[in-house]
Amino acid sequence: MEEKLDFANHNLVLKNRETVEVSGVKRIESLNEKEFILHTVLGPLSITGDNLEMTSLKLDIGELLIKGQINGMKYLDKVTSIEKKPSILNKLFK
């Protein structure tokens, strides 16, 4: 019998401001060495810092591991998340 994956749980584990483990990740919206924007089961999440890098990604089970200097983690308002902001092209062709 195949086990059904449970994406209902969402956890953040921050270790020494150097590593953050995130579960309940649905997808990664954007990433660079300063910021990761993730879509989790509880909404959009921004993780900011310096020298950030993804060291493990298991989207089939919704887990992500990020290393670097973690400076902040913030849940974004669903209405003003990056998903809802107009694209640059939309702004140009108004």
Side-chain angles (χ1 to χ4, degrees), residues 4-74:
K4 185 176 178 181
L5 299 175
D6 181 14
F7 284 103
N9 291 319
H10 172 60
N11 295 297
L12 292 172
V13 179
L14 178 64
K15 297 178 183 177
N16 299 319
R17 290 187 63 188
E18 295 174 351
T19 304
V20 63
E21 297 173 12
V22 187
S23 65
V25 176
K26 294 167 115 179
R27 72 178 187 271
I28 299 172
E29 184 71 33
S30 67
L31 61 106
N32 60 49
E33 65 181 22
K34 296 283 187 185
E35 181 179 37
F36 278 60
I37 297 179
L38 317 171
H39 286 268
T40 72
V41 295
L42 295 181
L45 172 66
S46 170
I47 299 173
T48 57
D50 294 308
N51 302 314
L52 299 179
E53 63 179 277
M54 177 174 32
T55 58
S56 177
L57 174 63
K58 299 175 185 173
L59 280 181
D60 57 328
I61 58 173
E63 291 182 356
L64 172 66
L65 180 66
I66 300 170
K67 289 189 178 182
Q69 178 64 44
I70 312 297
N71 295 332
M73 294 184 284
K74 179 181 178 183

Side-chain angles (χ1 to χ4, degrees), residues 35 37-38 43-46 74-82:
E35 181 179 37
I37 297 179
L38 317 171
L45 172 66
S46 170
K74 179 181 178 183
Y75 288 95
L76 305 173
D77 183 17
K78 290 181 183 180
V79 174
T80 60
S81 76
I82 195 165

